Amino acid sequence: MRHTVSLATGFLLALPIAAGCSLAASADNPEPLRSAELGFGVYALGAKGVEFTVMAERKAETLEMATAMRTAGMLDWAMSFTMTGQAAARIDGDGLKPLRYDIQSDGSWSKRMTRMRWGEDGLPVAEVIPPNDEDDRDEVPDHLKIGTVDPTTAIFARALRENAEPPCTGSDAVYDGRRRYNLHYAPIGPDMVQPHNRTAYSGPAFKCVIRSEPIAGYDRKFLASWSEKDQQPTYIWLVQPPGFAVWLPVKLEGGFRLGAANGWISRATLNGREWLAPLGFIRAEIPQSPVP
């Protein structure tokens, strides 16, 4: 189930008006996104395993971002895990330039902390606990850090691209203070998110695929054995909320050792107004035995 937590953190690396919501801006005159709060639930083996919240607020020429994640249900009972993060990026004509990235996690298997800052030369400097030399991983060399962004800024930089086309092409170079990896995006095409008691959104969306390519800073045994054939892609469904030019994720799907994990958006507030109403209590789904 630890892979379920990893899937939620990675996605994070998106219509018509949903029932019950009202946003005034027209498609011809999109409203700037000044603040957002999105909630997601990630499910595996028939039950919710992770709850995830993403928040952002524009302040002058910077974007302040925050993430919070915790295990839920039986997974919380078996291996409780919480993670909180804060990040900030400067807004300029080329998009977002990372300034700082902090993340703390507390779980049954470990406690970890990362504090990262970017200098004027664009080189990120990270402080991590436990240190990498105690964590069976090599330090990422400086030349691989230049031009990278942190995971949170990578998500928002794509979401905030004001483009009629979904941000499903190209690659991002990401450094999280320990690991250096590339995220590769490719479009699949228009799709539908079907009504379900786990999702606050249903309707048209655009489906993309994301593949992660490890570069450096991973567990030494992992890097020694990793090959592209072992890679499991993550699929993500993106939507443009009415009246906004941004692309927001509403569904994700990925695999792990025991099966598939799926995530759905559970609520959304944009510029202080509700776009998607919060879901109520959701019962776990019990797999049905086949009828002989």
Side-chain angles (χ1 to χ4, degrees), residues 194-253:
Q194 300 299 327
H196 198 287
N197 67 347
R198 295 177 179 175
T199 180
Y201 173 82
S202 60
F206 195 93
K207 185 178 180 181
C208 312
V209 61
I210 307 173
R211 290 182 169 83
S212 177
E213 175 192 9
I215 302 298
Y218 284 75
D219 177 280
R220 294 183 179 97
K221 292 181 180 178
F222 173 84
L223 273 184
S225 61
W226 183 86
S227 67
E228 290 187 5
K229 70 178 184 297
D230 300 321
Q231 187 180 69
Q232 295 191 7
T234 296
Y235 299 95
I236 186 167
W237 284 255
L238 302 173
V239 162
Q240 274 193 316
F244 290 85
V246 298
W247 289 90
L248 300 179
V250 295
K251 180 183 175 182
L252 65 90
E253 180 181 298

Side-chain angles (χ1 to χ4, degrees), residues 2 53 67 102 122 133 190 227 289-290:
R2 183 173 179 176
T53 300
T67 57
D102 300 298
D133 59 2
S227 67
S289 300

Side-chain angles (χ1 to χ4, degrees), residues 47-120:
K48 182 189 287 187
V50 173
E51 294 178 347
F52 192 71
T53 300
V54 182
M55 294 160 282
E57 182 177 2
R58 179 166 183 163
K59 295 183 177 180
E61 297 305 314
T62 64
L63 187 70
E64 303 283 339
M65 300 160 281
T67 57
M69 182 176 70
R70 68 179 184 89
T71 47
M74 289 299 294
L75 181 61
D76 188 58
W77 176 81
M79 50 175 69
S80 178
F81 178 87
T82 61
M83 183 184 73
T84 57
Q86 302 82 36
R90 184 176 69 254
I91 303 170
D92 63 21
D94 297 325
L96 298 179
K97 302 295 183 184
L99 297 172
R100 64 179 184 273
Y101 173 74
D102 300 298
I103 192 164
Q104 310 83 34
S105 64
D106 187 352
S108 301
W109 58 81
S110 68
K111 295 183 179 181
R112 308 176 79 81
M113 184 277 290
T114 298
R115 181 178 185 271
M116 190 156 52
R117 300 293 182 268
W118 275 257
E120 292 297 326

Side-chain angles (χ1 to χ4, degrees), residues 12-23:
L12 347 27
L13 209 211
L15 74 150
I17 296 178
C21 75
S22 176
L23 294 173

